[in-house]
Amino acid sequence: MTKQVIIAILMLALGLGVGYWLASRQMIHEQPASAPAEPRKPLFYRNPMNPDVTSPVPAKDSMGMDYIPVYADEEQAEEKAGTVKIDPMTTQNIGVRTARASRQTLSQGIRAVGRVGYDEERIVRLHPKTEGWIEAMSVDKTGQWVKKNTDLLSVYSPQLVASQQEYVLALKNLEVLKKSPIEDIRRGAEELVNSSRERLKLLDVPEHQLHDLTHTHEIKKSLHIHTPAAGIVIEIGAREGQYVTPATQLYMIADLSKVWVYADIYEYELPWVREGDPVEMRLAGVPGKVFKGHLAFIYPYAEAKTRTIKVRLVFDNTELLLKPDMFAEVTIQAGRRQEALVIPAEAVVRSSAGDRVFVVQGDGRFEPRTVRLGLASNGHIEIREGLVEGEEVVTSAQFLIDSESNLREATKKMMAPEPHQHD
């Protein structure tokens, strides 16, 4: 009996062990094993030299370079829409170069072709004040230099003769009445002399003729016309024997001690120039000499055909070396912009959407940044807004980066969930 009990106990223990072992095996088979980490799958592959070209499978470009895989987490990890992340090898392959925004002084020397002209404020157009006939001409050649008060010509005028006669009669009348005891009579005689003399002055009778007429009472048949200013005779409008009226231009006389020079500048140069800017001028006809002048006026309109703006320059010409209609090379020393924030001009990507640059953010990331531009000079351009001093921008291969940025931005917009619409 005891032996049978022992055997039964052993059999029961054996059964329990076998059952436990089978149950454990079944749990092991039913419990799924942890799967190994799967490698990341690229969304697509992109041509390293042309970001617009993509492939769903690995490929090579015409130069044998492998297409670059683009992963989902890269697309979502961007801090700003359009930010591009490029590995260092690709950055080197596409030739990315950078430069830092810095403070500099911008200056611009504007060169143009100038044409010498007359100073319009120093041109005299001489007309007679009365009708008559030219009797004699003392100056009858264009280009002739005349001094102030030079006798130019004499004109016979019946009106002038009559005015002289009135003056002589007034003088004789005053001589008779100046001792009159009646004050009004004396005053009337004096006023008549003064008015007759003033009429002769208004007819441009020269002072020496008035002096002679006052003392000799000898009436002159002809009126001498004198030049009111020194200069060069550039036009003669009448000749001896010709009948002239106040509408007749007898002479045009130009003072060439100062001249105007006209030059044309382009629209993009207009922001640089200011009235008063110093100007240098050189002429082929006066080799080795540099003329100094200044910018006096900027015309308020553009030339329709050339799309240029005319400026007027002023130069001293006491030696009379500058002759009207000569051509010259002028250099306008335009104003300077002190402490301007500048970057290389090639860093700017211009498009219809605006001007932008790509700012280096580290770890191979390039952030697009919209900027507002200012003046440009000598390969640099001023940044009014969008950058701060010291930031680093891409100066080469930025158009490839720009294509990549535009593609990423467009892709992100397409993948973004549409907002729920509520009824």
Side-chain angles (χ1 to χ4, degrees):
M1 181 67 180
T2 305
K3 186 177 181 180
Q4 292 177 349
V5 173
I6 294 174
I7 293 174
I9 292 173
L10 290 175
M11 292 298 293
L12 179 59
L14 181 60
L16 291 174
V18 171
Y20 177 79
W21 178 77
L22 290 175
S24 300
R25 291 283 296 177
Q26 185 176 0
M27 290 177 63
I28 291 174
H29 283 291
E30 289 178 355
Q31 183 176 1
S34 58
E38 294 183 0
R40 292 191 304 166
K41 278 191 167 186
L43 293 178
F44 53 87
Y45 298 83
R46 178 168 293 132
N47 188 317
M49 302 303 293
N50 187 354
D52 291 336
V53 178
T54 61
S55 171
V57 296
K60 293 181 179 292
D61 65 4
S62 58
M63 300 175 62
M65 297 176 63
D66 291 329
Y67 276 35
I68 301 169
V70 179
Y71 300 98
D73 57 348
E74 291 181 357
E75 293 289 315
Q76 298 172 358
E78 297 162 357
E79 297 177 356
K80 182 179 179 181
T83 299
V84 178
K85 185 174 183 181
I86 305 177
D87 62 86
M89 181 62 69
T90 304
T91 301
Q92 183 177 0
N93 288 339
I94 65 177
V96 174
R97 295 195 301 273
T98 62
R100 293 191 180 276
S102 59
R103 298 282 177 182
Q104 297 183 21
T105 297
L106 288 180
S107 62
Q108 180 85 333
I110 298 174
R111 303 188 64 177
V113 175
R115 179 181 61 83
V116 180
Y118 297 102
D119 184 341
E120 295 177 1
E121 297 175 349
R122 295 172 179 265
I123 293 179
V124 175
R125 291 174 171 83
L126 197 59
H127 293 250
K129 297 292 179 63
T130 182
E131 299 177 356
W133 288 263
I134 297 178
E135 288 197 329
M137 299 186 69
S138 303
V139 176
D140 59 356
K141 299 179 182 64
T142 58
Q144 188 172 343
W145 169 263
V146 292
K147 295 181 180 180
K148 186 176 181 179
N149 292 324
T150 299
D151 186 355
L152 298 174
L153 52 74
S154 60
V155 177
Y156 164 64
S157 170
Q159 180 184 359
L160 176 62
V161 172
S163 297
Q164 290 180 87
Q165 291 172 342
E166 290 177 3
Y167 180 58
V168 170
L169 290 174
L171 287 174
K172 291 178 178 179
N173 186 52
L174 177 61
E175 187 70 24
V176 172
L177 300 176
K178 66 180 181 180
K179 295 181 180 180
S180 171
I182 303 174
E183 183 179 354
D184 290 343
I185 293 177
R186 293 197 310 270
R187 186 182 304 111
E190 291 173 356
E191 289 177 355
L192 182 60
V193 169
N194 292 335
S195 63
S196 299
R197 184 182 181 90
E198 189 65 26
R199 185 179 300 111
L200 289 173
K201 286 184 177 180
L202 293 175
L203 292 174
D204 284 346
V205 175
E207 191 64 34
H208 70 88
Q209 279 189 293
L210 281 175
H211 181 271
D212 293 342
L213 183 61
T214 302
H215 290 85
T216 66
H217 294 184
E218 182 180 350
I219 296 174
K220 302 290 185 180
K221 178 185 175 183
S222 301
L223 165 69
H224 291 172
I225 295 181
H226 296 246
T227 176
I232 303 293
V233 177
I234 56 178
E235 281 187 20
I236 299 177
R239 292 295 175 178
E240 288 187 9
Q242 184 173 337
Y243 177 75
V244 296
T245 70
T248 306
Q249 180 174 287
L250 301 176
Y251 292 93
M252 181 185 292
I253 300 172
D255 180 2
L256 295 180
S257 61
K258 282 185 181 292
V259 294
W260 288 357
V261 176
Y262 301 96
D264 295 322
I265 63 174
Y266 293 102
E267 292 183 30
Y268 69 87
E269 296 171 327
L270 186 60
W272 285 98
V273 297
R274 296 287 185 274
E275 293 182 4
D277 285 343
V279 183
E280 292 184 352
M281 180 172 66
R282 296 172 174 82
L283 294 89
V286 192
K289 186 172 179 62
V290 179
F291 295 87
K292 305 284 188 179
H294 68 277
L295 192 153
F297 186 70
I298 303 171
Y299 284 81
Y301 53 82
E303 299 292 335
K305 293 182 178 179
T306 60
R307 306 309 307 162
T308 56
I309 293 88
K310 189 182 296 295
V311 295
R312 186 172 71 226
L313 320 172
V314 177
F315 291 87
D316 288 326
N317 188 33
T318 53
E319 299 179 30
L320 301 182
L321 297 176
L322 303 175
K323 307 182 189 307
D325 291 327
M326 293 179 73
F327 285 97
E329 294 181 1
V330 298
T331 303
I332 303 172
Q333 304 298 330
R336 295 185 173 188
R337 180 65 60 86
Q338 302 286 346
E339 293 297 313
L341 182 64
V342 300
I343 61 173
E346 64 266 23
V348 180
V349 179
R350 303 174 186 266
S351 67
S352 58
D355 303 316
R356 65 178 184 171
V357 297
F358 283 90
V359 182
V360 179
Q361 295 292 352
D363 297 329
R365 291 180 296 114
F366 302 92
E367 176 191 322
R369 188 86 59 80
T370 300
V371 293
R372 187 165 69 91
L373 306 179
L375 298 175
S377 173
N378 300 323
H380 289 82
I381 193 164
E382 180 187 10
I383 302 297
R384 298 281 183 86
E385 290 180 5
L387 285 177
V388 296
E389 185 178 0
E391 285 191 300
E392 194 173 3
V393 296
V394 178
T395 59
S396 66
Q398 67 270 39
F399 291 101
L400 294 175
I401 299 175
D402 184 54
S403 299
E404 171 76 10
S405 174
N406 291 334
L407 187 59
R408 285 177 180 247
E409 191 170 355
T411 303
K412 190 169 185 178
K413 289 180 179 179
M414 289 187 294
M415 296 177 63
E418 296 184 358
H420 294 288
Q421 296 183 353
H422 299 282
D423 295 335

mmCIF file with all atom_site columns, all heavy atoms in Angstrom, residues 394-412:
data_model
loop_
_atom_site.group_PDB
_atom_site.id
_atom_site.type_symbol
_atom_site.label_atom_id
_atom_site.label_alt_id
_atom_site.label_comp_id
_atom_site.label_asym_id
_atom_site.label_entity_id
_atom_site.label_seq_id
_atom_site.pdbx_PDB_ins_code
_atom_site.Cartn_x
_atom_site.Cartn_y
_atom_site.Cartn_z
_atom_site.occupancy
_atom_site.B_iso_or_equiv
_atom_site.pdbx_formal_charge
_atom_site.auth_seq_id
_atom_site.auth_comp_id
_atom_site.auth_asym_id
_atom_site.auth_atom_id
_atom_site.pdbx_PDB_model_num
ATOM 1   N N   . VAL A 1 394 ? 24.405 82.524 -48.344 1.00 0.00 ? 394 VAL A N   1
ATOM 2   C CA  . VAL A 1 394 ? 24.958 81.751 -49.455 1.00 0.00 ? 394 VAL A CA  1
ATOM 3   C C   . VAL A 1 394 ? 25.192 82.687 -50.629 1.00 0.00 ? 394 VAL A C   1
ATOM 4   O O   . VAL A 1 394 ? 24.320 83.473 -51.002 1.00 0.00 ? 394 VAL A O   1
ATOM 5   C CB  . VAL A 1 394 ? 23.998 80.617 -49.854 1.00 0.00 ? 394 VAL A CB  1
ATOM 6   C CG1 . VAL A 1 394 ? 24.549 79.844 -51.041 1.00 0.00 ? 394 VAL A CG1 1
ATOM 7   C CG2 . VAL A 1 394 ? 23.774 79.682 -48.674 1.00 0.00 ? 394 VAL A CG2 1
ATOM 8   N N   . THR A 1 395 ? 26.380 82.600 -51.238 1.00 0.00 ? 395 THR A N   1
ATOM 9   C CA  . THR A 1 395 ? 26.711 83.471 -52.371 1.00 0.00 ? 395 THR A CA  1
ATOM 10  C C   . THR A 1 395 ? 26.878 82.710 -53.678 1.00 0.00 ? 395 THR A C   1
ATOM 11  O O   . THR A 1 395 ? 26.999 83.333 -54.740 1.00 0.00 ? 395 THR A O   1
ATOM 12  C CB  . THR A 1 395 ? 28.008 84.244 -52.090 1.00 0.00 ? 395 THR A CB  1
ATOM 13  O OG1 . THR A 1 395 ? 29.081 83.313 -51.866 1.00 0.00 ? 395 THR A OG1 1
ATOM 14  C CG2 . THR A 1 395 ? 27.842 85.134 -50.867 1.00 0.00 ? 395 THR A CG2 1
ATOM 15  N N   . SER A 1 396 ? 26.906 81.370 -53.629 1.00 0.00 ? 396 SER A N   1
ATOM 16  C CA  . SER A 1 396 ? 26.978 80.585 -54.866 1.00 0.00 ? 396 SER A CA  1
ATOM 17  C C   . SER A 1 396 ? 26.135 79.331 -54.698 1.00 0.00 ? 396 SER A C   1
ATOM 18  O O   . SER A 1 396 ? 25.950 78.840 -53.584 1.00 0.00 ? 396 SER A O   1
ATOM 19  C CB  . SER A 1 396 ? 28.425 80.212 -55.192 1.00 0.00 ? 396 SER A CB  1
ATOM 20  O OG  . SER A 1 396 ? 28.935 79.325 -54.213 1.00 0.00 ? 396 SER A OG  1
ATOM 21  N N   . ALA A 1 397 ? 25.635 78.818 -55.819 1.00 0.00 ? 397 ALA A N   1
ATOM 22  C CA  . ALA A 1 397 ? 24.737 77.658 -55.838 1.00 0.00 ? 397 ALA A CA  1
ATOM 23  C C   . ALA A 1 397 ? 23.426 77.938 -55.131 1.00 0.00 ? 397 ALA A C   1
ATOM 24  O O   . ALA A 1 397 ? 22.674 77.018 -54.829 1.00 0.00 ? 397 ALA A O   1
ATOM 25  C CB  . ALA A 1 397 ? 25.421 76.428 -55.221 1.00 0.00 ? 397 ALA A CB  1
ATOM 26  N N   . GLN A 1 398 ? 23.129 79.213 -54.869 1.00 0.00 ? 398 GLN A N   1
ATOM 27  C CA  . GLN A 1 398 ? 21.891 79.524 -54.164 1.00 0.00 ? 398 GLN A CA  1
ATOM 28  C C   . GLN A 1 398 ? 20.664 79.263 -55.035 1.00 0.00 ? 398 GLN A C   1
ATOM 29  O O   . GLN A 1 398 ? 19.564 79.067 -54.506 1.00 0.00 ? 398 GLN A O   1
ATOM 30  C CB  . GLN A 1 398 ? 21.885 80.970 -53.649 1.00 0.00 ? 398 GLN A CB  1
ATOM 31  C CG  . GLN A 1 398 ? 21.842 82.045 -54.716 1.00 0.00 ? 398 GLN A CG  1
ATOM 32  C CD  . GLN A 1 398 ? 23.236 82.447 -55.145 1.00 0.00 ? 398 GLN A CD  1
ATOM 33  O OE1 . GLN A 1 398 ? 24.112 81.625 -55.268 1.00 0.00 ? 398 GLN A OE1 1
ATOM 34  N NE2 . GLN A 1 398 ? 23.424 83.732 -55.379 1.00 0.00 ? 398 GLN A NE2 1
ATOM 35  N N   . PHE A 1 399 ? 20.848 79.228 -56.351 1.00 0.00 ? 399 PHE A N   1
ATOM 36  C CA  . PHE A 1 399 ? 19.695 78.956 -57.204 1.00 0.00 ? 399 PHE A CA  1
ATOM 37  C C   . PHE A 1 399 ? 19.297 77.479 -57.113 1.00 0.00 ? 399 PHE A C   1
ATOM 38  O O   . PHE A 1 399 ? 18.117 77.137 -57.193 1.00 0.00 ? 399 PHE A O   1
ATOM 39  C CB  . PHE A 1 399 ? 20.002 79.355 -58.646 1.00 0.00 ? 399 PHE A CB  1
ATOM 40  C CG  . PHE A 1 399 ? 20.128 80.838 -58.829 1.00 0.00 ? 399 PHE A CG  1
ATOM 41  C CD1 . PHE A 1 399 ? 21.367 81.443 -58.913 1.00 0.00 ? 399 PHE A CD1 1
ATOM 42  C CD2 . PHE A 1 399 ? 18.995 81.634 -58.889 1.00 0.00 ? 399 PHE A CD2 1
ATOM 43  C CE1 . PHE A 1 399 ? 21.476 82.808 -59.067 1.00 0.00 ? 399 PHE A CE1 1
ATOM 44  C CE2 . PHE A 1 399 ? 19.096 83.009 -59.045 1.00 0.00 ? 399 PHE A CE2 1
ATOM 45  C CZ  . PHE A 1 399 ? 20.346 83.595 -59.131 1.00 0.00 ? 399 PHE A CZ  1
ATOM 46  N N   . LEU A 1 400 ? 20.282 76.586 -56.925 1.00 0.00 ? 400 LEU A N   1
ATOM 47  C CA  . LEU A 1 400 ? 19.957 75.186 -56.686 1.00 0.00 ? 400 LEU A CA  1
ATOM 48  C C   . LEU A 1 400 ? 19.236 75.034 -55.345 1.00 0.00 ? 400 LEU A C   1
ATOM 49  O O   . LEU A 1 400 ? 18.245 74.311 -55.226 1.00 0.00 ? 400 LEU A O   1
ATOM 50  C CB  . LEU A 1 400 ? 21.237 74.342 -56.692 1.00 0.00 ? 400 LEU A CB  1
ATOM 51  C CG  . LEU A 1 400 ? 21.993 74.246 -58.024 1.00 0.00 ? 400 LEU A CG  1
ATOM 52  C CD1 . LEU A 1 400 ? 23.285 73.475 -57.835 1.00 0.00 ? 400 LEU A CD1 1
ATOM 53  C CD2 . LEU A 1 400 ? 21.132 73.591 -59.079 1.00 0.00 ? 400 LEU A CD2 1
ATOM 54  N N   . ILE A 1 401 ? 19.744 75.742 -54.338 1.00 0.00 ? 401 ILE A N   1
ATOM 55  C CA  . ILE A 1 401 ? 19.101 75.686 -53.023 1.00 0.00 ? 401 ILE A CA  1
ATOM 56  C C   . ILE A 1 401 ? 17.709 76.297 -53.095 1.00 0.00 ? 401 ILE A C   1
ATOM 57  O O   . ILE A 1 401 ? 16.765 75.808 -52.456 1.00 0.00 ? 401 ILE A O   1
ATOM 58  C CB  . ILE A 1 401 ? 19.979 76.406 -51.979 1.00 0.00 ? 401 ILE A CB  1
ATOM 59  C CG1 . ILE A 1 401 ? 21.349 75.711 -51.878 1.00 0.00 ? 401 ILE A CG1 1
ATOM 60  C CG2 . ILE A 1 401 ? 19.303 76.430 -50.625 1.00 0.00 ? 401 ILE A CG2 1
ATOM 61  C CD1 . ILE A 1 401 ? 22.321 76.421 -50.959 1.00 0.00 ? 401 ILE A CD1 1
ATOM 62  N N   . ASP A 1 402 ? 17.559 77.346 -53.879 1.00 0.00 ? 402 ASP A N   1
ATOM 63  C CA  . ASP A 1 402 ? 16.251 77.975 -54.015 1.00 0.00 ? 402 ASP A CA  1
ATOM 64  C C   . ASP A 1 402 ? 15.245 77.023 -54.661 1.00 0.00 ? 402 ASP A C   1
ATOM 65  O O   . ASP A 1 402 ? 14.087 76.949 -54.236 1.00 0.00 ? 402 ASP A O   1
ATOM 66  C CB  . ASP A 1 402 ? 16.378 79.252 -54.850 1.00 0.00 ? 402 ASP A CB  1
ATOM 67  C CG  . ASP A 1 402 ? 15.064 80.008 -54.955 1.00 0.00 ? 402 ASP A CG  1
ATOM 68  O OD1 . ASP A 1 402 ? 14.472 80.300 -53.906 1.00 0.00 ? 402 ASP A OD1 1
ATOM 69  O OD2 . ASP A 1 402 ? 14.633 80.276 -56.082 1.00 0.00 ? 402 ASP A OD2 1
ATOM 70  N N   . SER A 1 403 ? 15.683 76.264 -55.670 1.00 0.00 ? 403 SER A N   1
ATOM 71  C CA  . SER A 1 403 ? 14.791 75.283 -56.293 1.00 0.00 ? 403 SER A CA  1
ATOM 72  C C   . SER A 1 403 ? 14.373 74.221 -55.292 1.00 0.00 ? 403 SER A C   1
ATOM 73  O O   . SER A 1 403 ? 13.208 73.828 -55.215 1.00 0.00 ? 403 SER A O   1
ATOM 74  C CB  . SER A 1 403 ? 15.487 74.644 -57.500 1.00 0.00 ? 403 SER A CB  1
ATOM 75  O OG  . SER A 1 403 ? 15.795 75.609 -58.467 1.00 0.00 ? 403 SER A OG  1
ATOM 76  N N   . GLU A 1 404 ? 15.342 73.758 -54.495 1.00 0.00 ? 404 GLU A N   1
ATOM 77  C CA  . GLU A 1 404 ? 15.055 72.760 -53.472 1.00 0.00 ? 404 GLU A CA  1
ATOM 78  C C   . GLU A 1 404 ? 14.081 73.320 -52.445 1.00 0.00 ? 404 GLU A C   1
ATOM 79  O O   . GLU A 1 404 ? 13.125 72.663 -52.015 1.00 0.00 ? 404 GLU A O   1
ATOM 80  C CB  . GLU A 1 404 ? 16.358 72.333 -52.791 1.00 0.00 ? 404 GLU A CB  1
ATOM 81  C CG  . GLU A 1 404 ? 16.198 71.450 -51.567 1.00 0.00 ? 404 GLU A CG  1
ATOM 82  C CD  . GLU A 1 404 ? 15.843 70.026 -51.946 1.00 0.00 ? 404 GLU A CD  1
ATOM 83  O OE1 . GLU A 1 404 ? 15.908 69.689 -53.130 1.00 0.00 ? 404 GLU A OE1 1
ATOM 84  O OE2 . GLU A 1 404 ? 15.493 69.258 -51.035 1.00 0.00 ? 404 GLU A OE2 1
ATOM 85  N N   . SER A 1 405 ? 14.315 74.583 -52.035 1.00 0.00 ? 405 SER A N   1
ATOM 86  C CA  . SER A 1 405 ? 13.452 75.206 -51.044 1.00 0.00 ? 405 SER A CA  1
ATOM 87  C C   . SER A 1 405 ? 12.023 75.334 -51.551 1.00 0.00 ? 405 SER A C   1
ATOM 88  O O   . SER A 1 405 ? 11.062 75.029 -50.840 1.00 0.00 ? 405 SER A O   1
ATOM 89  C CB  . SER A 1 405 ? 14.011 76.582 -50.673 1.00 0.00 ? 405 SER A CB  1
ATOM 90  O OG  . SER A 1 405 ? 13.133 77.272 -49.825 1.00 0.00 ? 405 SER A OG  1
ATOM 91  N N   . ASN A 1 406 ? 11.884 75.781 -52.800 1.00 0.00 ? 406 ASN A N   1
ATOM 92  C CA  . ASN A 1 406 ? 10.543 75.928 -53.367 1.00 0.00 ? 406 ASN A CA  1
ATOM 93  C C   . ASN A 1 406 ? 9.831  74.583 -53.450 1.00 0.00 ? 406 ASN A C   1
ATOM 94  O O   . ASN A 1 406 ? 8.637  74.481 -53.168 1.00 0.00 ? 406 ASN A O   1
ATOM 95  C CB  . ASN A 1 406 ? 10.637 76.556 -54.760 1.00 0.00 ? 406 ASN A CB  1
ATOM 96  C CG  . ASN A 1 406 ? 11.069 78.002 -54.706 1.00 0.00 ? 406 ASN A CG  1
ATOM 97  O OD1 . ASN A 1 406 ? 10.852 78.682 -53.694 1.00 0.00 ? 406 ASN A OD1 1
ATOM 98  N ND2 . ASN A 1 406 ? 11.688 78.487 -55.769 1.00 0.00 ? 406 ASN A ND2 1
ATOM 99  N N   . LEU A 1 407 ? 10.584 73.537 -53.833 1.00 0.00 ? 407 LEU A N   1
ATOM 100 C CA  . LEU A 1 407 ? 9.982  72.211 -53.949 1.00 0.00 ? 407 LEU A CA  1
ATOM 101 C C   . LEU A 1 407 ? 9.564  71.684 -52.585 1.00 0.00 ? 407 LEU A C   1
ATOM 102 O O   . LEU A 1 407 ? 8.477  71.121 -52.415 1.00 0.00 ? 407 LEU A O   1
ATOM 103 C CB  . LEU A 1 407 ? 10.961 71.248 -54.632 1.00 0.00 ? 407 LEU A CB  1
ATOM 104 C CG  . LEU A 1 407 ? 10.425 69.872 -54.981 1.00 0.00 ? 407 LEU A CG  1
ATOM 105 C CD1 . LEU A 1 407 ? 9.225  69.989 -55.904 1.00 0.00 ? 407 LEU A CD1 1
ATOM 106 C CD2 . LEU A 1 407 ? 11.504 69.030 -55.646 1.00 0.00 ? 407 LEU A CD2 1
ATOM 107 N N   . ARG A 1 408 ? 10.408 71.878 -51.588 1.00 0.00 ? 408 ARG A N   1
ATOM 108 C CA  . ARG A 1 408 ? 10.059 71.408 -50.238 1.00 0.00 ? 408 ARG A CA  1
ATOM 109 C C   . ARG A 1 408 ? 8.849  72.165 -49.690 1.00 0.00 ? 408 ARG A C   1
ATOM 110 O O   . ARG A 1 408 ? 7.974  71.556 -49.063 1.00 0.00 ? 408 ARG A O   1
ATOM 111 C CB  . ARG A 1 408 ? 11.257 71.594 -49.290 1.00 0.00 ? 408 ARG A CB  1
ATOM 112 C CG  . ARG A 1 408 ? 12.369 70.576 -49.511 1.00 0.00 ? 408 ARG A CG  1
ATOM 113 C CD  . ARG A 1 408 ? 13.540 70.847 -48.602 1.00 0.00 ? 408 ARG A CD  1
ATOM 114 N NE  . ARG A 1 408 ? 14.586 69.856 -48.822 1.00 0.00 ? 408 ARG A NE  1
ATOM 115 C CZ  . ARG A 1 408 ? 14.945 68.953 -47.938 1.00 0.00 ? 408 ARG A CZ  1
ATOM 116 N NH1 . ARG A 1 408 ? 14.310 68.886 -46.775 1.00 0.00 ? 408 ARG A NH1 1
ATOM 117 N NH2 . ARG A 1 408 ? 15.902 68.096 -48.189 1.00 0.00 ? 408 ARG A NH2 1
ATOM 118 N N   . GLU A 1 409 ? 8.822  73.445 -49.929 1.00 0.00 ? 409 GLU A N   1
ATOM 119 C CA  . GLU A 1 409 ? 7.705  74.228 -49.431 1.00 0.00 ? 409 GLU A CA  1
ATOM 120 C C   . GLU A 1 409 ? 6.401  73.802 -50.093 1.00 0.00 ? 409 GLU A C   1
ATOM 121 O O   . GLU A 1 409 ? 5.358  73.674 -49.438 1.00 0.00 ? 409 GLU A O   1
ATOM 122 C CB  . GLU A 1 409 ? 7.976  75.711 -49.688 1.00 0.00 ? 409 GLU A CB  1
ATOM 123 C CG  . GLU A 1 409 ? 7.016  76.638 -48.986 1.00 0.00 ? 409 GLU A CG  1
ATOM 124 C CD  . GLU A 1 409 ? 7.458  78.093 -49.063 1.00 0.00 ? 409 GLU A CD  1
ATOM 125 O OE1 . GLU A 1 409 ? 8.566  78.346 -49.582 1.00 0.00 ? 409 GLU A OE1 1
ATOM 126 O OE2 . GLU A 1 409 ? 6.694  78.950 -48.605 1.00 0.00 ? 409 GLU A OE2 1
ATOM 127 N N   . ALA A 1 410 ? 6.469  73.564 -51.413 1.00 0.00 ? 410 ALA A N   1
ATOM 128 C CA  . ALA A 1 410 ? 5.269  73.133 -52.120 1.00 0.00 ? 410 ALA A CA  1
ATOM 129 C C   . ALA A 1 410 ? 4.827  71.751 -51.653 1.00 0.00 ? 410 ALA A C   1
ATOM 130 O O   . ALA A 1 410 ? 3.632  71.485 -51.458 1.00 0.00 ? 410 ALA A O   1
ATOM 131 C CB  . ALA A 1 410 ? 5.527  73.132 -53.621 1.00 0.00 ? 410 ALA A CB  1
ATOM 132 N N   . THR A 1 411 ? 5.815  70.855 -51.442 1.00 0.00 ? 411 THR A N   1
ATOM 133 C CA  . THR A 1 411 ? 5.490  69.507 -50.970 1.00 0.00 ? 411 THR A CA  1
ATOM 134 C C   . THR A 1 411 ? 4.854  69.551 -49.589 1.00 0.00 ? 411 THR A C   1
ATOM 135 O O   . THR A 1 411 ? 3.876  68.848 -49.299 1.00 0.00 ? 411 THR A O   1
ATOM 136 C CB  . THR A 1 411 ? 6.757  68.635 -50.934 1.00 0.00 ? 411 THR A CB  1
ATOM 137 O OG1 . THR A 1 411 ? 7.337  68.612 -52.241 1.00 0.00 ? 411 THR A OG1 1
ATOM 138 C CG2 . THR A 1 411 ? 6.434  67.218 -50.506 1.00 0.00 ? 411 THR A CG2 1
ATOM 139 N N   . LYS A 1 412 ? 5.385  70.395 -48.726 1.00 0.00 ? 412 LYS A N   1
ATOM 140 C CA  . LYS A 1 412 ? 4.841  70.491 -47.374 1.00 0.00 ? 412 LYS A CA  1
ATOM 141 C C   . LYS A 1 412 ? 3.412  71.012 -47.388 1.00 0.00 ? 412 LYS A C   1
ATOM 142 O O   . LYS A 1 412 ? 2.560  70.556 -46.617 1.00 0.00 ? 412 LYS A O   1
ATOM 143 C CB  . LYS A 1 412 ? 5.733  71.412 -46.555 1.00 0.00 ? 412 LYS A CB  1
ATOM 144 C CG  . LYS A 1 412 ? 5.416  71.413 -45.073 1.00 0.00 ? 412 LYS A CG  1
ATOM 145 C CD  . LYS A 1 412 ? 6.489  72.123 -44.302 1.00 0.00 ? 412 LYS A CD  1
ATOM 146 C CE  . LYS A 1 412 ? 6.240  72.013 -42.804 1.00 0.00 ? 412 LYS A CE  1
ATOM 147 N NZ  . LYS A 1 412 ? 7.302  72.667 -42.024 1.00 0.00 ? 412 LYS A NZ  1
#
